[in-house]
Amino acid sequence: MADPGGDPLLALLVPCVVTIGTYLAYITDGRRGIYFWHYLEGFSELDLLIILLFIIGLAMAIFCLLVGGIQNRRRKRVLEKKPQYDFQESNRQVVKAMQLAADRFGSRHFRHTVRYYLVKPEQNFSRDDIKDTIKQRGEGQK
């Protein structure tokens, strides 16, 4: 059985075709399009709708161009002057952190293969151990 509600695309398409066909006939004096209605109020409302949509589209275009210009200007000023992420420094910090873990808990292979390991209280990291180790061991290495 067919859907009693009908096709939603058809419900959108038919009014659009009727409105566009009638308005096209109105602005071309019947040379193109078909007059589905002849109400002057409908044509004046369509004129108003087209003007409003044009103004809204123009405002959106201006807004998009302004925001795009602002973002491009910001990108040129900030992002291209200094690198946002230093891969060498990050790799150095990872190596230092892994070395600290190896000093406290054994090699990486040992840590990943052992089934049970009891951490002594003096082996626990304090709040700033990793940060201090990276900073301390990293001084003078740039």
Side-chain angles (χ1 to χ4, degrees):
M1 279 190 107
D3 181 18
D7 189 13
L9 182 62
L10 192 62
L12 179 69
L13 193 63
V14 169
C16 289
V17 168
V18 168
T19 304
I20 291 171
T22 302
Y23 193 72
L24 194 59
Y26 170 70
I27 60 173
T28 61
D29 291 326
R31 288 189 303 271
R32 297 186 188 231
I34 301 170
Y35 279 105
F36 288 98
W37 73 81
H38 295 277
Y39 304 114
L40 188 58
E41 296 87 12
F43 297 126
S44 61
E45 285 183 20
L46 283 175
D47 288 338
L48 177 66
L49 180 66
I50 289 173
I51 291 170
L52 288 177
L53 289 176
F54 177 75
I55 291 171
I56 290 170
L58 187 64
M60 287 175 53
I62 291 171
F63 175 77
C64 289
L65 290 173
L66 285 175
V67 170
I70 290 169
Q71 289 293 3
N72 284 336
R73 185 174 173 210
R74 180 176 172 265
R75 180 182 49 85
K76 286 179 184 176
R77 285 186 169 186
V78 175
L79 298 179
E80 292 180 1
K81 285 186 179 177
K82 61 179 181 178
Q84 297 295 310
Y85 187 74
D86 187 2
F87 288 104
Q88 291 176 342
E89 180 68 17
S90 175
N91 289 338
R92 185 189 66 75
Q93 290 174 353
V94 168
V95 167
K96 297 300 178 186
M98 294 300 284
Q99 182 62 42
L100 176 64
D103 292 346
R104 292 231 181 145
F105 307 110
S107 71
R108 179 181 174 137
H109 177 71
F110 171 74
R111 291 192 317 262
H112 286 258
T113 55
V114 70
R115 288 184 163 265
Y116 179 78
Y117 183 77
L118 185 62
V119 178
K120 298 173 188 155
E122 61 270 7
Q123 285 180 304
N124 286 327
F125 288 124
S126 67
R127 177 175 227 161
D128 296 325
D129 274 349
I130 295 176
K131 182 175 74 171
D132 292 341
T133 301
I134 289 172
K135 189 183 287 186
Q136 175 190 10
R137 294 183 184 181
E139 290 176 353
Q141 288 189 5
K142 282 196 173 182

